[in-house]
Amino acid sequence: MPKYLGTWTSPETPGVVYMRLVDVAHKFRKPCIADLKVGPVSYDPEATPEKIEREKLKFPPALECGYQMIGSRTYEPETGEFHSANKVYFRTLNKDTIASEGLARYFTQGGKLRKDVIRHVLCKLQEIEHWFNIQTELMFFAMSILIVFEGDIQLEEKSENNQSYNSADSNHVGCVNGYSSIDDEVEVKLIDFAHVFKTDKKDMNFLAGLYGIQMHLKMLLKM
Ligand SMILES: Nc1ncnc2c1ncn2[C@@H]1O[C@H](COP(=O)(O)OP(=O)(O)OP(=O)(O)O)[C@@H](O)[C@H]1O
Ligand SMILES: O=P(O)(O)O[C@@H]1[C@H](O)[C@H](O)[C@@H](OP(=O)(O)O)[C@H](OP(=O)(O)O)[C@H]1O
């Protein structure tokens, strides 16, 4: 998770205590950001029938693919602008196009998939998966994975100098001690802890969502 900076309470709502977290995007020049809500089930065990219905209707393909895309923005070096997409757009996609159009849109700069970034995200997700495979105390509903990568790059330079950047046979993830060479240019963090519950088992809902994201990212590496 992003570094925890303590709590904060607004004088206007003294009963509400907020968590303060470091801004994950702060160190980036042109942060490209995506929010993926993880888990086929996005309502918690105490949700009312109305809330359950509302959540189920938002993005039914999440039951199969395991996650929803809430928002994204990606910097286009050629135009100097960001292209963004919101949850209304992502909810028009299905269990397949959420990868081929949704995730692909976020990871595309200058018409090319940033496979170097995808590989790095997969390495970070592996670490998160490891923690979720050993912890049996907490369940997280409607939690998000926030991905941020540096968009301020010279596309041609990247593709010439880095042989593995975008090459068709670069499906291999290749984590070295969990990290790859562009560690400073990609962040993958857990955010939005509004629905956390005690348990004595693994959080299979979160893990199912995580596996869905990992599968789709590996699919993009083969494109
Ligand atoms: N630590 C962080 N660093 C950078 N950006 C963040 C961070 N936490 C949240 N954000 C940004 O703020 C957005 C909303 O965050 P979050 O979902 O936690 O808020 P929320 O009030 O619960 O919103 P919602 O009710 O829509 O879920 C995220 O999609 C992300 O873009
Ligand atoms: O980002 P999304 O997909 O639109 O989903 C919203 C998000 O999960 C909020 O955290 C949630 O508020 P709570 O945390 O209070 O549940 C809200 O529930 P709501 O529809 O019940 O307001 C959701 O609509």
Side-chain angles (χ1 to χ4, degrees), residues 19-133:
M19 288 169 73
R20 289 181 65 235
L21 302 176
V22 155
D23 175 0
V24 181
H26 182 256
K27 69 175 185 183
F28 294 87
R29 294 181 300 278
K30 300 289 181 190
C32 300
I33 307 175
D35 178 329
L36 310 186
K37 193 183 282 197
V38 191
V41 172
S42 58
Y43 50 86
D44 67 47
E46 294 174 0
T48 62
E50 294 75 27
K51 169 79 176 176
I52 293 174
E53 202 49 30
R54 213 162 49 241
E55 290 297 325
K56 280 184 173 171
L57 288 174
K58 274 183 188 168
F59 186 61
L63 272 185
E64 267 189 82
C65 67
Y67 69 99
Q68 310 177 36
M69 289 191 74
I70 301 299
S72 77
R73 67 168 210 169
T74 306
Y75 183 68
E76 279 298 354
E78 282 158 5
T79 60
E81 290 178 354
F82 285 90
H83 65 77
S84 303
N86 62 20
K87 58 191 172 192
V88 177
Y89 161 73
F90 288 120
R91 285 174 186 158
T92 66
L93 303 178
N94 63 38
K95 67 176 176 53
D96 301 311
T97 54
I98 191 71
S100 59
E101 293 178 31
L103 285 174
R105 176 189 173 100
Y106 166 59
F107 286 108
T108 296
Q109 281 189 294
K112 285 185 184 152
L113 260 182
R114 290 290 307 272
K115 291 189 178 182
D116 58 332
V117 172
I118 295 174
R119 277 192 295 276
H120 191 73
V121 170
L122 278 165
C123 293
K124 292 282 195 185
L125 291 181
Q126 213 168 292
E127 293 172 33
I128 292 174
E129 179 192 344
H130 176 71
W131 188 76
F132 273 87
N133 268 316

Side-chain angles (χ1 to χ4, degrees), residues 1-3 18 20-26 33-37 58 70-72 87 142-148 189-195:
M1 64 175 281
K3 189 167 188 241
Y18 295 89
R20 289 181 65 235
L21 302 176
V22 155
D23 175 0
V24 181
H26 182 256
I33 307 175
D35 178 329
L36 310 186
K37 193 183 282 197
K58 274 183 188 168
I70 301 299
S72 77
K87 58 191 172 192
M143 182 162 68
S144 285
I145 286 178
L146 187 73
I147 306 174
V148 186
K189 300 286 182 190
L190 299 173
I191 58 160
D192 201 350
F193 313 102
H195 303 270

